[in-house]
Amino acid sequence: MAKKTKKQQSGGTPATVALTAAGVDFTVHAYDHDPSHPSYGEEAAEAMGVSPERVFKTLVADVDGTLTVAVVPVAGQLDLKALATAVGGKRAAMADPALDERTTGYVRGGISPLGQRKRLRTVLDASASSFPTICVSAGRRGLEVELSPEDLAKLTDAVVVPVGRT
């Protein structure tokens, strides 16, 4: 079962530190990560008892040679063509996981769109706007942060367009 704490004041991950510094309301959900679970995002949704449409995964793609973050529901997939179009590119492909980790400072399954080592351009799937709050990784496996999609978009300078597909 997920454990909730409200608005951490200090410590935490770079993502929660960034949220605290920005003065944004958020809730942290911690759960015991099961390494044998086939999907980090689906595991998070199940552990928190939240619809998979409201839990978003952070994916790193290479768009014409530039790393770009896509934040899409765990219930679906990233549309690479739509991602490329969203940032004015021609071609997108998933980035190398080792490069994702080096660039963001997070490990796969725990990459957050917030508090990254190197800030990457970000695209948030438009479906996020249909919820008052969404959940994204808080920067490690077994830790999610819940916040408004508007705050996430503002803090990451995200373009909000449809880039997910079911």
Side-chain angles (χ1 to χ4, degrees):
M1 190 64 176
K3 179 179 130 192
K4 292 184 180 183
T5 57
K6 187 71 172 169
K7 198 160 182 177
Q8 293 182 349
Q9 297 302 316
S10 62
T13 66
T16 60
V17 169
L19 287 166
T20 299
V24 171
D25 286 332
F26 66 96
T27 302
V28 173
H29 299 271
Y31 59 92
D32 293 326
H33 166 61
D34 176 4
S36 68
H37 200 289
S39 166
Y40 298 116
E42 288 175 11
E43 176 191 25
E46 291 166 10
M48 294 185 301
V50 174
S51 164
E53 288 78 21
R54 241 184 83 218
V55 179
F56 284 65
K57 56 189 169 186
T58 305
L59 303 172
V60 182
D62 179 323
V63 180
D64 298 334
T66 301
L67 291 181
T68 303
V69 169
V71 184
V72 297
V74 302
Q77 297 178 335
L78 171 61
D79 181 334
L80 289 166
K81 184 173 176 137
L83 177 64
T85 300
V87 295
K90 292 184 181 359
R91 187 176 178 285
M94 295 308 297
D96 174 60
L99 181 58
D100 298 352
E101 292 179 354
R102 279 194 314 274
T103 305
T104 65
Y106 294 119
V107 297
R108 189 169 174 256
I111 295 177
S112 178
L114 300 155
Q116 297 174 355
R117 182 179 293 149
K118 178 181 178 190
R119 189 171 181 163
L120 301 175
R121 65 183 173 180
T122 302
V123 178
L124 175 60
D125 185 65
S127 68
S129 299
S130 59
F131 302 104
T133 61
I134 60 170
C135 298
V136 296
S137 176
R140 72 168 200 257
R141 297 171 187 153
L143 195 67
E144 294 280 311
V145 65
E146 181 177 352
L147 73 164
S148 77
E150 295 80 15
D151 284 338
L152 178 62
K154 181 179 176 185
L155 292 172
T156 60
D157 291 325
V159 174
V160 182
V161 295
V163 290
R165 63 177 181 216
T166 54

